[in-house]
Amino acid sequence: MRTELTSLFGLDIYTVNGIYVGKVTDLIIDVESQSVSGIIANHVNTDVFDVAGDGIIIPYRWVVTAADIVLIRDVIRRFQKKADD
């Protein structure tokens, strides 16, 4: 997948099942392999991610496609908040 890196900034991130994840704010670039290794997202959906801060890093290997939005694999179930018992 080839794209201008700056075109990803500000895009909304959703899972393939339509769950909002957050918004792209920056990218992590592996200089040696000349590839993107992660996406930094803020405005994270706190109903899904239990985060103390405002941002998360999403491994780029989870990205399915990036155009008008970024679609990632549905890995949300691994990170959902635990229900209070």
Side-chain angles (χ1 to χ4, degrees), residues 29-72:
I29 300 172
D30 183 347
V31 178
E32 290 181 11
S33 67
Q34 298 179 1
S35 63
V36 176
S37 62
I39 294 177
I40 299 173
N42 70 358
H43 304 292
V44 178
N45 182 350
T46 56
D47 292 335
V48 177
F49 290 95
D50 189 13
V51 293
D54 187 41
I56 58 171
I57 298 174
I58 299 170
Y60 199 73
R61 67 180 179 272
W62 292 359
V63 173
V64 175
T65 189
D68 293 331
I69 62 171
V70 176
L71 286 178
I72 64 170

Short mmCIF file of all heavy atoms in Angstrom, two decimals, residues 29-72:
data_model
loop_
_atom_site.label_atom_id
_atom_site.label_comp_id
_atom_site.label_asym_id
_atom_site.label_seq_id
_atom_site.Cartn_x
_atom_site.Cartn_y
_atom_site.Cartn_z
N ILE A 29 7.87 5.80 12.11
CA ILE A 29 8.56 5.34 10.90
C ILE A 29 9.82 4.59 11.28
O ILE A 29 10.62 5.08 12.08
CB ILE A 29 8.90 6.53 9.98
CG1 ILE A 29 7.61 7.25 9.59
CG2 ILE A 29 9.69 6.08 8.77
CD1 ILE A 29 7.83 8.55 8.86
N ASP A 30 9.99 3.40 10.71
CA ASP A 30 11.22 2.62 10.88
C ASP A 30 12.15 3.04 9.75
O ASP A 30 11.95 2.71 8.59
CB ASP A 30 10.91 1.12 10.80
CG ASP A 30 12.13 0.26 11.04
OD1 ASP A 30 13.27 0.79 11.03
OD2 ASP A 30 11.94 -0.95 11.24
N VAL A 31 13.16 3.81 10.11
CA VAL A 31 14.06 4.39 9.12
C VAL A 31 14.87 3.31 8.40
O VAL A 31 15.08 3.40 7.18
CB VAL A 31 15.00 5.43 9.78
CG1 VAL A 31 15.98 6.00 8.77
CG2 VAL A 31 14.19 6.54 10.42
N GLU A 32 15.30 2.30 9.12
CA GLU A 32 16.11 1.25 8.51
C GLU A 32 15.36 0.50 7.42
O GLU A 32 15.89 0.23 6.35
CB GLU A 32 16.61 0.28 9.57
CG GLU A 32 17.65 0.88 10.48
CD GLU A 32 18.14 -0.09 11.51
OE1 GLU A 32 17.85 -1.30 11.41
OE2 GLU A 32 18.83 0.36 12.44
N SER A 33 14.10 0.15 7.69
CA SER A 33 13.33 -0.59 6.68
C SER A 33 12.53 0.34 5.78
O SER A 33 11.87 -0.11 4.86
CB SER A 33 12.38 -1.58 7.35
OG SER A 33 11.38 -0.89 8.08
N GLN A 34 12.58 1.64 6.05
CA GLN A 34 11.87 2.66 5.26
C GLN A 34 10.38 2.35 5.17
O GLN A 34 9.78 2.36 4.09
CB GLN A 34 12.48 2.78 3.88
CG GLN A 34 13.91 3.23 3.90
CD GLN A 34 14.51 3.32 2.50
OE1 GLN A 34 13.86 3.07 1.49
NE2 GLN A 34 15.77 3.70 2.45
N SER A 35 9.78 2.05 6.33
CA SER A 35 8.36 1.74 6.36
C SER A 35 7.71 2.30 7.62
O SER A 35 8.39 2.63 8.59
CB SER A 35 8.16 0.22 6.31
OG SER A 35 8.71 -0.38 7.46
N VAL A 36 6.40 2.39 7.57
CA VAL A 36 5.63 2.84 8.73
C VAL A 36 5.44 1.64 9.65
O VAL A 36 5.04 0.57 9.20
CB VAL A 36 4.26 3.41 8.30
CG1 VAL A 36 3.42 3.79 9.51
CG2 VAL A 36 4.44 4.61 7.38
N SER A 37 5.72 1.81 10.93
CA SER A 37 5.55 0.69 11.87
C SER A 37 4.39 0.90 12.83
O SER A 37 3.95 -0.04 13.46
CB SER A 37 6.84 0.44 12.65
OG SER A 37 7.18 1.57 13.42
N GLY A 38 3.89 2.14 12.93
CA GLY A 38 2.78 2.38 13.83
C GLY A 38 2.05 3.68 13.53
O GLY A 38 2.59 4.56 12.86
N ILE A 39 0.83 3.75 14.02
CA ILE A 39 0.01 4.96 13.90
C ILE A 39 -0.27 5.46 15.31
O ILE A 39 -0.69 4.68 16.17
CB ILE A 39 -1.32 4.66 13.19
CG1 ILE A 39 -1.09 4.26 11.74
CG2 ILE A 39 -2.25 5.86 13.26
CD1 ILE A 39 -2.34 3.88 11.01
N ILE A 40 -0.03 6.73 15.54
CA ILE A 40 -0.37 7.33 16.82
C ILE A 40 -1.75 7.96 16.67
O ILE A 40 -1.99 8.74 15.76
CB ILE A 40 0.66 8.38 17.24
CG1 ILE A 40 2.02 7.72 17.39
CG2 ILE A 40 0.24 9.07 18.54
CD1 ILE A 40 3.16 8.66 17.65
N ALA A 41 -2.65 7.55 17.55
CA ALA A 41 -4.04 8.03 17.49
C ALA A 41 -4.39 8.75 18.79
O ALA A 41 -3.97 8.35 19.86
CB ALA A 41 -4.99 6.86 17.29
N ASN A 42 -5.16 9.84 18.65
CA ASN A 42 -5.71 10.49 19.83
C ASN A 42 -7.22 10.55 19.69
O ASN A 42 -7.77 10.00 18.75
CB ASN A 42 -5.08 11.86 20.08
CG ASN A 42 -5.49 12.89 19.06
OD1 ASN A 42 -6.21 12.61 18.11
ND2 ASN A 42 -5.00 14.09 19.23
N HIS A 43 -7.87 11.21 20.62
CA HIS A 43 -9.34 11.22 20.67
C HIS A 43 -9.86 9.78 20.65
O HIS A 43 -10.78 9.44 19.91
CB HIS A 43 -9.96 12.04 19.54
CG HIS A 43 -9.48 13.45 19.50
ND1 HIS A 43 -9.78 14.36 20.48
CD2 HIS A 43 -8.68 14.11 18.62
CE1 HIS A 43 -9.21 15.51 20.20
NE2 HIS A 43 -8.53 15.38 19.08
N VAL A 44 -9.22 8.96 21.47
CA VAL A 44 -9.49 7.52 21.50
C VAL A 44 -10.86 7.24 22.10
O VAL A 44 -11.27 7.89 23.07
CB VAL A 44 -8.39 6.80 22.30
CG1 VAL A 44 -8.66 5.32 22.40
CG2 VAL A 44 -7.04 7.05 21.66
N ASN A 45 -11.54 6.29 21.53
CA ASN A 45 -12.85 5.85 22.02
C ASN A 45 -12.65 5.18 23.38
O ASN A 45 -12.21 4.03 23.46
CB ASN A 45 -13.47 4.87 21.02
CG ASN A 45 -14.83 4.40 21.41
OD1 ASN A 45 -15.30 4.63 22.52
ND2 ASN A 45 -15.49 3.71 20.49
N THR A 46 -12.99 5.89 24.46
CA THR A 46 -12.77 5.36 25.81
C THR A 46 -13.78 4.28 26.18
O THR A 46 -13.62 3.63 27.21
CB THR A 46 -12.81 6.49 26.85
OG1 THR A 46 -14.05 7.19 26.74
CG2 THR A 46 -11.65 7.44 26.64
N ASP A 47 -14.79 4.08 25.38
CA ASP A 47 -15.70 2.95 25.60
C ASP A 47 -15.04 1.64 25.21
O ASP A 47 -15.47 0.58 25.63
CB ASP A 47 -17.00 3.12 24.81
CG ASP A 47 -17.84 4.27 25.31
OD1 ASP A 47 -17.70 4.63 26.50
OD2 ASP A 47 -18.63 4.82 24.52
N VAL A 48 -14.01 1.73 24.40
CA VAL A 48 -13.32 0.54 23.91
C VAL A 48 -11.95 0.38 24.55
O VAL A 48 -11.59 -0.70 25.00
CB VAL A 48 -13.18 0.59 22.38
CG1 VAL A 48 -12.41 -0.60 21.86
CG2 VAL A 48 -14.54 0.68 21.72
N PHE A 49 -11.18 1.46 24.62
CA PHE A 49 -9.83 1.40 25.16
C PHE A 49 -9.79 2.04 26.54
O PHE A 49 -10.26 3.15 26.74
CB PHE A 49 -8.85 2.15 24.26
CG PHE A 49 -8.59 1.46 22.96
CD1 PHE A 49 -9.31 1.79 21.82
CD2 PHE A 49 -7.62 0.48 22.86
CE1 PHE A 49 -9.07 1.16 20.63
CE2 PHE A 49 -7.38 -0.16 21.67
CZ PHE A 49 -8.10 0.18 20.55
N ASP A 50 -9.21 1.34 27.49
CA ASP A 50 -9.05 1.85 28.84
C ASP A 50 -7.67 2.49 28.92
O ASP A 50 -6.69 1.84 29.27
CB ASP A 50 -9.19 0.71 29.85
CG ASP A 50 -9.24 1.20 31.28
OD1 ASP A 50 -9.41 2.42 31.48
OD2 ASP A 50 -9.12 0.37 32.19
N VAL A 51 -7.60 3.76 28.53
CA VAL A 51 -6.32 4.45 28.49
C VAL A 51 -6.32 5.61 29.48
O VAL A 51 -7.33 6.26 29.69
CB VAL A 51 -6.00 4.99 27.08
CG1 VAL A 51 -5.76 3.85 26.11
CG2 VAL A 51 -7.10 5.88 26.55
N ALA A 52 -5.16 5.82 30.10
CA ALA A 52 -5.03 6.91 31.06
C ALA A 52 -4.83 8.25 30.34
O ALA A 52 -5.33 9.27 30.76
CB ALA A 52 -3.87 6.64 32.00
N GLY A 53 -4.10 8.23 29.24
CA GLY A 53 -3.82 9.45 28.49
C GLY A 53 -4.81 9.62 27.35
O GLY A 53 -5.86 9.00 27.31
N ASP A 54 -4.42 10.46 26.41
CA ASP A 54 -5.29 10.75 25.29
C ASP A 54 -4.95 9.95 24.05
O ASP A 54 -5.70 9.94 23.09
CB ASP A 54 -5.24 12.25 24.95
CG ASP A 54 -6.25 12.66 23.90
OD1 ASP A 54 -7.40 12.16 23.96
OD2 ASP A 54 -5.91 13.46 23.01
N GLY A 55 -3.82 9.24 24.04
CA GLY A 55 -3.42 8.59 22.82
C GLY A 55 -3.01 7.14 22.97
O GLY A 55 -2.77 6.65 24.07
N ILE A 56 -2.95 6.48 21.82
CA ILE A 56 -2.50 5.09 21.75
C ILE A 56 -1.64 4.92 20.50
O ILE A 56 -1.68 5.76 19.60
CB ILE A 56 -3.67 4.08 21.69
CG1 ILE A 56 -4.56 4.36 20.49
CG2 ILE A 56 -4.46 4.08 22.98
CD1 ILE A 56 -5.62 3.29 20.24
N ILE A 57 -0.87 3.86 20.48
CA ILE A 57 -0.11 3.51 19.28
C ILE A 57 -0.70 2.23 18.72
O ILE A 57 -0.84 1.23 19.43
CB ILE A 57 1.38 3.30 19.60
CG1 ILE A 57 1.98 4.60 20.12
CG2 ILE A 57 2.13 2.82 18.36
CD1 ILE A 57 3.40 4.48 20.61
N ILE A 58 -1.06 2.27 17.47
CA ILE A 58 -1.65 1.12 16.78
C ILE A 58 -0.59 0.56 15.84
O ILE A 58 -0.07 1.29 14.99
CB ILE A 58 -2.90 1.54 15.98
CG1 ILE A 58 -3.95 2.10 16.92
CG2 ILE A 58 -3.43 0.37 15.16
CD1 ILE A 58 -5.11 2.76 16.22
N PRO A 59 -0.25 -0.73 15.97
CA PRO A 59 0.72 -1.32 15.04
C PRO A 59 0.21 -1.23 13.60
O PRO A 59 -0.96 -1.50 13.33
CB PRO A 59 0.80 -2.78 15.49
CG PRO A 59 0.29 -2.78 16.89
CD PRO A 59 -0.71 -1.69 16.97
N TYR A 60 1.08 -0.85 12.70
CA TYR A 60 0.66 -0.67 11.31
C TYR A 60 0.24 -1.99 10.67
O TYR A 60 -0.53 -2.00 9.72
CB TYR A 60 1.75 0.01 10.49
CG TYR A 60 1.22 0.63 9.22
CD1 TYR A 60 0.45 1.78 9.27
CD2 TYR A 60 1.45 0.04 7.99
CE1 TYR A 60 -0.07 2.35 8.12
CE2 TYR A 60 0.95 0.61 6.83
CZ TYR A 60 0.19 1.76 6.89
OH TYR A 60 -0.33 2.31 5.76
N ARG A 61 0.70 -3.10 11.20
CA ARG A 61 0.30 -4.40 10.64
C ARG A 61 -1.19 -4.66 10.82
O ARG A 61 -1.76 -5.53 10.17
CB ARG A 61 1.14 -5.52 11.24
CG ARG A 61 0.89 -5.76 12.71
CD ARG A 61 1.75 -6.91 13.26
NE ARG A 61 1.52 -7.09 14.67
CZ ARG A 61 2.16 -6.46 15.64
NH1 ARG A 61 3.11 -5.60 15.33
NH2 ARG A 61 1.87 -6.69 16.91
N TRP A 62 -1.85 -3.92 11.70
CA TRP A 62 -3.30 -4.05 11.89
C TRP A 62 -4.08 -3.31 10.81
O TRP A 62 -5.28 -3.54 10.66
CB TRP A 62 -3.72 -3.50 13.24
CG TRP A 62 -3.27 -4.29 14.41
CD1 TRP A 62 -2.54 -5.45 14.42
CD2 TRP A 62 -3.52 -3.98 15.79
NE1 TRP A 62 -2.31 -5.86 15.71
CE2 TRP A 62 -2.90 -4.99 16.56
CE3 TRP A 62 -4.19 -2.96 16.43
CZ2 TRP A 62 -2.95 -4.98 17.96
CZ3 TRP A 62 -4.24 -2.95 17.80
CH2 TRP A 62 -3.62 -3.97 18.56
N VAL A 63 -3.45 -2.41 10.06
CA VAL A 63 -4.15 -1.60 9.07
C VAL A 63 -4.53 -2.47 7.88
O VAL A 63 -3.71 -3.17 7.30
CB VAL A 63 -3.28 -0.41 8.62
CG1 VAL A 63 -3.93 0.34 7.47
CG2 VAL A 63 -3.01 0.52 9.79
N VAL A 64 -5.81 -2.40 7.53
CA VAL A 64 -6.32 -3.11 6.36
C VAL A 64 -6.22 -2.20 5.14
O VAL A 64 -5.73 -2.61 4.09
CB VAL A 64 -7.78 -3.56 6.59
CG1 VAL A 64 -8.36 -4.19 5.34
CG2 VAL A 64 -7.87 -4.50 7.77
N THR A 65 -6.67 -0.96 5.28
CA THR A 65 -6.61 0.01 4.19
C THR A 65 -6.66 1.42 4.75
O THR A 65 -7.13 1.63 5.87
CB THR A 65 -7.75 -0.22 3.17
OG1 THR A 65 -7.54 0.59 2.04
CG2 THR A 65 -9.10 0.09 3.78
N ALA A 66 -6.17 2.35 3.97
CA ALA A 66 -6.19 3.76 4.36
C ALA A 66 -6.51 4.60 3.13
O ALA A 66 -5.77 4.58 2.15
CB ALA A 66 -4.86 4.18 4.95
N ALA A 67 -7.64 5.28 3.17
CA ALA A 67 -8.04 6.16 2.07
C ALA A 67 -8.74 7.37 2.69
O ALA A 67 -8.09 8.27 3.18
CB ALA A 67 -8.94 5.43 1.09
N ASP A 68 -10.07 7.38 2.68
CA ASP A 68 -10.83 8.45 3.33
C ASP A 68 -10.87 8.26 4.84
O ASP A 68 -11.04 9.20 5.59
CB ASP A 68 -12.26 8.52 2.79
CG ASP A 68 -12.28 8.94 1.33
OD1 ASP A 68 -11.36 9.68 0.92
OD2 ASP A 68 -13.22 8.55 0.61
N ILE A 69 -10.76 7.01 5.27
CA ILE A 69 -10.62 6.64 6.68
C ILE A 69 -9.57 5.55 6.75
O ILE A 69 -9.16 4.99 5.73
CB ILE A 69 -11.96 6.13 7.29
CG1 ILE A 69 -12.44 4.87 6.58
CG2 ILE A 69 -13.01 7.22 7.31
CD1 ILE A 69 -13.61 4.19 7.26
N VAL A 70 -9.13 5.23 7.96
CA VAL A 70 -8.20 4.12 8.16
C VAL A 70 -9.00 2.97 8.76
O VAL A 70 -9.69 3.15 9.76
CB VAL A 70 -7.05 4.51 9.11
CG1 VAL A 70 -6.16 3.32 9.38
CG2 VAL A 70 -6.24 5.66 8.52
N LEU A 71 -8.94 1.82 8.12
CA LEU A 71 -9.60 0.62 8.64
C LEU A 71 -8.56 -0.30 9.22
O LEU A 71 -7.54 -0.59 8.58
CB LEU A 71 -10.34 -0.13 7.53
CG LEU A 71 -11.63 0.48 7.03
CD1 LEU A 71 -12.20 -0.38 5.90
CD2 LEU A 71 -12.64 0.63 8.13
N ILE A 72 -8.83 -0.77 10.46
CA ILE A 72 -7.92 -1.72 11.09
C ILE A 72 -8.67 -3.02 11.36
O ILE A 72 -9.90 -3.04 11.39
CB ILE A 72 -7.30 -1.17 12.39
CG1 ILE A 72 -8.37 -0.92 13.44
CG2 ILE A 72 -6.48 0.07 12.11
CD1 ILE A 72 -7.81 -0.60 14.82
#
